[in-house]
Amino acid sequence: MKPSVPGNRLEPNTHYPPVPQTPSTLSIAVPDDFSLPIAVCSYGYFLLAPNRWDPDRQQLLRTLQGRRDRLIHIRLRQSGSRLTLACNQPLERAEQAKIKHQVIRMLRLDQDLSQWYHHCPAARRRGFGRLFRSPSFFEDVIKTITTCNVAWVQTRRMNSLLCREFGGGGFSTPHQLAATTPAQLKRKCRVGYRAQRIVGLARRVTEGKIDLEWFEHPHRHVEELMAALLKIHGIGLYAAASLCQLLGHYDHLAIDTETRRHYLTHIRRAQPASADDLRRLDREIEQYYARHGSYRFLAYWFELWQTYEKQRGKRSDRWSEPDADSFTTAQLGTSS
DNA sequence: GGTAGACCTGGACGC
DNA sequence: GCGTCCAGGTCTACC
């Protein structure tokens, strides 16, 4: 065991934004089928800093980037067909639009779910389909890199430290990460070998060598996106498929140990005997979900989400901070 | 094209 | 308290 770095001991939620006093309030109309708790708690990133879900008040707290990257603390609540955003500072008109745009992205409020609901009526009944994501694609990419080759509890720690050490409480921006060195990032945020990849990506973004807006264009083809994502150092098949999902393309499964565990435990009910079996298993998983066509990922995720709820014995929107470090079927299986 | 090993952290476990 | 093992996805060198 290596010695711990002084000052890096961190309770998971110590950096979290305070509940804002409310000098300004914004309102956003939401579709009839929208549920804030289900949208927020549908994907694990809601448990990563600087997001904070309050299950008792059914509200989301976090910081967003305002004008000139100043940090705005927001509190998000649903009241019928509207979302109310309480902000801790007065906002100019342009800044209001910027904040709203980020909230719409996080909750996928502009997404049409009719075809998905037609494909999966059970998802319609639960209002499931708007998987939670970050206010920016950059944050989604960094969060995805921090989920790779690491236990979930460490992913949580890395994101908390990224906010505390470089983001001033909000999530680190490309400029903040580009200005540091891999060695510093590694030392302060415990990201290990990912430091080189994270700083490298941030620098390529700030130098204009990678245009993240290109990825968000609505008419991009999924294979075009996969090819471009796989060119980014540190993004492999799993991460690229995850990022496609976060961009609204559900054609590819992001197969990881969690996927295999879920499939083996709940569908196939038999363990593979060898590494060769494991390779065959991945092909088998692909074939199993192929019937969902361009909704493979959503169908798999809905299945997994229902399993979490069943194992935890309560609705996912009731999950609280102590549950957050055990957000995998393996952990749920041993702790519930 | 397929495969083995390195990358890095922190929790679990044995002593 | 210390040392060792292990899990986790990606990259790279080698066959």
Side-chain angles (χ1 to χ4, degrees):
Chain A
M1 180 75 72
K2 295 176 183 65
S4 63
V5 176
N8 270 352
R9 289 267 174 238
L10 184 75
E11 290 303 314
N13 63 352
T14 50
H15 70 284
Y16 280 154
V19 176
Q21 304 301 307
T22 56
S24 60
T25 304
L26 304 178
S27 178
I28 300 177
V30 294
D32 293 340
D33 64 342
F34 180 79
S35 157
L36 179 68
I38 289 179
V40 170
C41 302
S42 59
Y43 198 66
Y45 287 8
F46 82 99
L47 294 167
L48 300 180
N51 298 304
R52 180 186 177 193
W53 174 245
D54 176 349
D56 295 328
R57 295 179 182 80
Q58 300 278 287
Q59 62 185 14
L60 179 73
L61 304 168
R62 74 159 283 156
T63 49
L64 293 174
Q65 306 285 341
R67 67 181 153 83
R68 290 193 285 276
D69 290 340
R70 72 166 176 161
L71 289 180
I72 308 291
H73 298 307
I74 65 151
R75 181 187 66 210
L76 205 53
R77 284 183 183 155
Q78 183 173 11
S79 175
S81 61
R82 300 203 78 77
L83 281 180
T84 307
L85 279 82
C87 308
N88 71 330
Q89 297 182 58
L91 307 178
E92 297 168 357
R93 189 174 291 266
E95 199 168 31
Q96 290 179 9
K98 187 173 178 182
I99 295 294
K100 281 186 180 181
H101 177 76
Q102 293 175 78
V103 171
I104 288 167
R105 187 186 194 280
M106 288 165 70
L107 301 172
R108 309 201 199 215
L109 290 170
D110 51 356
Q111 190 171 298
D112 175 15
L113 295 180
S114 54
Q115 283 190 40
W116 158 243
Y117 284 163
H118 179 72
H119 178 78
C120 182
R124 180 201 299 273
R125 287 192 289 276
R126 289 302 309 273
F128 182 94
R130 299 177 200 282
L131 302 193
F132 187 75
R133 56 184 178 174
S134 304
S136 72
F137 184 52
F138 179 75
E139 184 176 328
D140 274 338
V141 177
I142 301 301
K143 277 185 159 51
T144 300
I145 289 174
T146 65
T147 65
C148 290
N149 197 29
V150 77
W152 178 247
V153 63
Q154 281 172 268
T155 299
R156 299 235 308 143
R157 182 177 299 270
M158 287 181 216
N159 278 272
S160 294
L161 290 167
L162 279 165
C163 293
R164 191 182 80 177
E165 298 295 329
F166 292 97
F171 198 78
S172 317
T173 64
H175 282 96
Q176 286 165 334
L177 289 173
T180 190
T181 62
Q184 268 193 321
L185 182 65
K186 185 173 166 180
R187 185 173 52 80
K188 290 186 173 180
C189 299
R190 318 304 294 158
V191 297
Y193 65 89
R194 297 165 197 81
Q196 194 83 45
R197 299 168 184 183
I198 290 171
V199 172
L201 173 65
R203 287 182 181 166
R204 290 178 71 79
V205 169
T206 55
E207 288 163 5
K209 291 176 181 165
I210 292 180
D211 176 13
L212 293 181
E213 283 182 22
W214 180 90
F215 290 88
E216 303 239 46
H217 193 281
H219 298 305
R220 292 276 168 262
H221 190 271
V222 65
E223 299 309 329
E224 181 182 28
L225 285 170
M226 281 293 282
L229 288 165
L230 288 168
K231 282 182 187 157
I232 299 174
H233 188 65
I235 304 293
L237 278 175
Y238 161 79
S242 288
L243 288 167
C244 277
Q245 174 280 113
L246 290 161
L247 288 164
H249 301 267
Y250 307 106
D251 312 59
H252 287 274
L253 285 177
I255 296 180
D256 61 358
T257 51
E258 186 72 352
T259 319
R260 297 185 191 107
R261 190 154 42 221
H262 168 75
Y263 182 79
L264 289 169
T265 309
H266 299 283
I267 294 159
R268 193 215 233 191
R269 299 171 193 276
Q271 297 296 319
S274 65
D276 195 43
D277 273 4
L278 209 58
R279 280 186 290 279
R280 252 180 270 144
L281 176 64
D282 286 359
R283 287 197 292 273
E284 192 179 316
I285 293 172
E286 291 282 3
Q287 283 166 10
Y288 179 78
Y289 288 102
R291 62 202 156 101
H292 297 292
S294 58
Y295 290 109
R296 281 181 185 87
F297 187 94
L298 262 183
Y300 153 63
W301 202 257
F302 184 45
E303 203 175 280
L304 188 68
W305 186 75
Q306 289 175 300
T307 305
Y308 283 164
E309 288 203 325
K310 198 189 272 182
Q311 285 189 263
R312 180 57 79 184
K314 59 182 171 183
R315 287 170 59 107
S316 58
D317 55 15
R318 301 302 310 164
W319 290 355
S320 56
E321 193 58 32
D323 299 321
D325 282 340
S326 59
F327 193 70
T328 65
T329 49
Q331 296 284 335
L332 290 172
T334 55
S335 63
S336 57

